[in-house]
């Protein structure tokens, strides 16, 4: 099969890497890709938002299957566009992707189907949101309705910070149309867990639980990022909790989406808070997470193409998905200054010196002559899988120490159980 992957980050690199292992795949294209991806796939210089060009390319080279793991194109309807053109694509339709594209829809969805989540109100004016905050308990969380590149969630300790956040949204219109409505919700305490699940519209098969580390600095300090590292399995996501999630969250979600006429085919991502009163949904994403996907795919033993085709054939209930019984630790190497401003173009040293057990996925790199240089905030992920987390972690950091670029920044406590105690 010829496969086209849409995107350019570490998640897409990990997907191309898993596809390269498949017996069914003869050629991989990635649009637009990055310098790491170019080692195993052919990059195609088309932007992810240019659906017509992507479709024309897919027809021209007779692509058999397109995979889109990115939120923006999914929410904008890339799957509908490909399907209308008669092309096979893996991902949810625009209607199903609204589970991530609109927080108001997703919160109302959870309320209607009795899926555990934080208490909330939905508002479309500053005054109405402020009136709710005036009687609410702090801390509370303000979330813009639409996509906001991970910046649309503001944790407010007091009424002044809530007022500030709501002014940014409704008066300064900092988030544009994404901020036309807001959710104001209860702050949840607990351990966070990312669960990604394959879905064929009716059957859902969750992957092992992952622990993302979103804050920029050690001990969960500093601003939120796209993710500074992941470990799998998530040590807090025990078997009994996974069972409860299946019954109270995963199955009702897939069933609810079907009842809403928004059958979900793709990878559905549950951002969970494991609270004292049980697991609750913080958010849904309509696609596999990054860096979670980078940590999960090296553990997948079943051919990824077989799993995707089972989803597309609505045949997931006949599929057995096998995972290595290993732990994995994945450490993100970021540019100095990320998630704020940072410089790019720094030469990267030492990638060939990492341990034989280490994998490197590229998030933001390009080639300058024959050298790799930095080209993004998140630059590289170094991953090691081993029979337990402690070994995986020690070995991952041994390899991290071999790699360098100017102003390189990474967290030193990824997978350190002491540092990921519930908030
Ligand atoms: P999101 O972009 O919705 O994943 O939110 C970003 C991060 O904000 C989450 O990973 C949580 O750490 C935090 N967060 C979101 N909602 C809540 C909540 N209701 N209570 C506590 N933390 C939250
Ligand atoms: N790592 C979180 C996300 O992909 O949204």
């Amino acid at each position: 099969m010829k496969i086209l992957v849409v995107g350019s980050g570490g998640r897409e690199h990990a997907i191309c890497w898993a596809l390269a292992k498949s017996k069914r795949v003869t050629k991989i294209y990635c649009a637009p890709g990055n310098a790491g991806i170019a080692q195993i796939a052919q990059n195609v210089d088309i932007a992810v938002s240019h659906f017509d060009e992507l479709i024309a390319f897919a027809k021209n080279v007779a692509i058999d299957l397109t995979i889109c793991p990115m939120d923006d194109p999914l929410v904008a309807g890339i799957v509908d566009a490909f399907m209308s053109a008669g092309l096979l694509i893996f991902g949810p339709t625009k209607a199903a992707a609204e589970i991530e594209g609109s927080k108001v829809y997703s919160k109302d969805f959870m309320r209607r189907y009795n899926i555990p989540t934080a208490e909330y109100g939905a508002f479309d004016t500053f005054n109405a949101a402020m009136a709710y905050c005036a009687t609410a308990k702090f801390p509370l969380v303000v979330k813009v309705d639409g996509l906001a590149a991970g910046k649309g969630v503001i944790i407010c300790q007091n009424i002044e910070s809530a007022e500030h956040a709501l002014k940014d949204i409704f008066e300064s219109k900092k988030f544009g149309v994404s901020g036309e409505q807001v959710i104001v919700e209860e702050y949840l305490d607990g351990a966070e867990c990312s669960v990604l699940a394959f879905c064929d519209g009716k059957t859902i098969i969750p992957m092992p639980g992952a622990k993302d580390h979103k804050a920029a600095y050690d001990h969960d300090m500093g601003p939120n990022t796209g993710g500074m590292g992941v470990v799998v399995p998530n040590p807090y996501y025990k078997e009994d909790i996974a069972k409860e999630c299946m019954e109270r969250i995963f199955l009702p979600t897939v069933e609810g989406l079907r009842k809403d006429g928004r059958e979900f085919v793709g990878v559905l991502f549950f951002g969970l808070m494991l609270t004292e009163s049980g697991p609750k949904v913080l958010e849904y994403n309509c696609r596999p997470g990054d860096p979670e996907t980078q940590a999960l795919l090296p553990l997948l033993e079943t051919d990824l193409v077989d799993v995707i085709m089972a989803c597309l054939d609505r045949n997931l209930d006949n599929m057995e998905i096998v995972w290595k019984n290993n732990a994995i630790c994945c450490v993100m190497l970021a540019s100095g200054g990320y998630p704020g401003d940072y410089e790019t173009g720094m030469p990267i040293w030492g990638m060939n010196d990492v341990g034989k057990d280490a994998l490197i996925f590229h998030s933001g790199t390009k080639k300058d002559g024959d050298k790799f240089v930095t080209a993004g905030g998140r630059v590289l992920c170094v991953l090691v899988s081993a029979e337990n987390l402690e070994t995986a972690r020690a070995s991952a950091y041994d390899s991290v120490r071999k790699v360098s670029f100017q102003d390189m920044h990474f967290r030193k406590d990824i997978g350190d159980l002491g540092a990921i105690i519930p908030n």
Side-chain angles (χ1 to χ4, degrees):
M1 289 171 84
K2 289 191 205 169
I3 306 205
L4 170 64
V5 177
V6 176
S8 62
R11 167 182 52 202
E12 288 74 25
H13 191 176
I15 292 171
C16 290
W17 175 86
L19 294 173
K21 294 196 307 179
S22 167
K23 288 192 190 66
R24 300 175 69 171
V25 175
T26 51
K27 174 104 190 167
I28 308 164
Y29 296 89
C30 190
N34 67 33
I37 293 172
Q39 299 170 296
I40 50 174
Q42 184 175 327
N43 286 347
V44 183
D45 189 17
I46 303 176
V48 302
S49 54
H50 293 179
F51 300 166
D52 288 348
E53 285 177 47
L54 290 169
I55 287 169
F57 173 80
K59 287 191 166 167
N60 252 337
V61 302
I63 294 289
D64 297 294
L65 167 68
T66 297
I67 300 172
C68 180
M70 289 186 71
D71 50 5
D72 280 309
L74 289 170
V75 169
I78 191 172
V79 168
D80 311 62
F82 269 65
M83 283 177 8
S84 304
L87 294 168
L88 193 64
I89 181 165
F90 181 60
T93 58
K94 183 176 181 170
E98 207 178 0
I99 198 79
E100 173 170 3
S102 167
K103 287 210 155 61
V104 172
Y105 169 70
S106 81
K107 292 294 290 189
D108 289 348
F109 171 87
M110 287 186 263
R111 185 176 274 167
R112 279 190 287 118
Y113 291 106
N114 208 14
I115 295 166
T117 187
E119 287 301 320
Y120 73 101
F123 308 99
D124 57 8
T125 65
F126 171 81
N127 286 341
M130 274 305 285
Y132 182 89
C133 291
T135 59
K137 231 176 85 191
F138 282 85
L140 54 68
V141 187
V142 172
K143 298 184 171 183
V144 300
D145 176 52
L147 295 180
K151 297 191 170 69
V153 174
I154 307 127
I155 295 175
C156 305
Q157 298 298 338
N158 49 45
I159 187 86
E160 289 77 24
S161 59
E163 182 175 5
H164 186 77
L166 291 166
K167 277 195 172 148
D168 273 352
I169 296 166
F170 285 113
E171 291 176 10
S172 313
K173 308 221 181 288
K174 193 168 148 193
F175 296 92
V177 289
S178 283
E180 280 175 0
Q181 295 183 84
V182 296
I183 294 292
V184 181
E185 74 178 22
E186 172 198 12
Y187 179 85
L188 297 177
D189 246 332
E192 276 191 67
C193 182
S194 304
V195 178
L196 282 60
F198 291 107
C199 285
D200 71 355
K202 54 182 176 33
T203 299
I204 180 162
I205 304 189
M207 307 184 202
K211 167 72 195 164
D212 191 7
H213 296 60
K214 284 196 170 142
Y217 311 126
D218 290 355
H219 309 298
D220 282 343
M221 304 297 280
N224 248 0
T225 69
M228 293 298 291
V230 169
V231 293
V232 178
N234 184 317
Y236 298 102
Y237 187 67
K238 308 263 195 253
E239 221 167 281
D240 55 329
I241 297 181
K243 192 162 170 279
E244 188 179 353
C245 287
M246 191 67 179
E247 283 161 13
R248 299 188 57 207
I249 296 175
F250 306 156
L251 289 171
T253 297
V254 173
E255 193 49 31
L257 283 166
R258 216 154 61 90
K259 283 192 189 138
D260 276 12
R262 297 169 189 247
E263 190 178 73
F264 192 101
V265 179
V267 173
L268 185 51
F269 172 136
F270 300 83
L272 304 173
M273 189 68 93
L274 310 179
T275 75
E276 267 183 0
S277 53
K280 297 189 177 173
V281 178
L282 287 177
E283 61 153 358
Y284 292 111
N285 290 318
C286 66
R287 38 82 199 175
D290 192 359
E292 286 90 340
T293 305
Q294 301 189 49
L296 286 159
L297 287 181
L299 299 178
L300 178 64
E301 290 201 326
T302 309
D303 188 321
L304 177 62
V305 179
D306 287 345
V307 184
I308 289 176
M309 293 309 293
C311 291
L312 289 166
D313 293 340
R314 312 289 196 270
N315 198 20
L316 202 53
D317 54 346
N318 288 316
M319 182 88 213
E320 199 202 341
I321 303 180
V322 182
W323 298 90
K324 276 200 193 85
N325 195 18
N326 266 12
I328 194 162
C329 177
C330 140
V331 182
M332 184 67 73
L333 309 184
S335 296
Y338 172 78
D341 295 339
Y342 53 83
E343 284 182 42
T344 58
M346 308 296 179
I348 303 168
W349 313 103
M351 277 196 283
N352 293 327
D353 303 329
V354 299
K356 286 200 173 40
D357 55 353
L359 267 174
I360 294 185
F361 291 132
H362 293 224
S363 300
T365 64
K366 63 178 188 195
K367 272 288 190 65
D368 183 5
D370 58 1
K371 268 213 86 44
F372 286 103
V373 299
T374 66
R378 293 192 291 176
V379 177
L380 297 171
C381 230
V382 175
L383 307 97
V384 172
S385 100
E387 68 261 10
N388 61 53
L389 180 54
E390 221 174 27
T391 314
R393 185 171 185 270
S395 183
Y397 277 103
D398 281 345
S399 283
V400 163
R401 277 189 277 276
K402 301 283 196 298
V403 182
S404 65
F405 51 85
Q406 195 184 312
D407 301 329
M408 181 173 107
H409 152 67
F410 62 92
R411 274 182 65 162
K412 299 177 187 60
D413 64 346
I414 303 302
D416 176 348
L417 288 190
I420 58 171
I421 288 170
N423 305 330

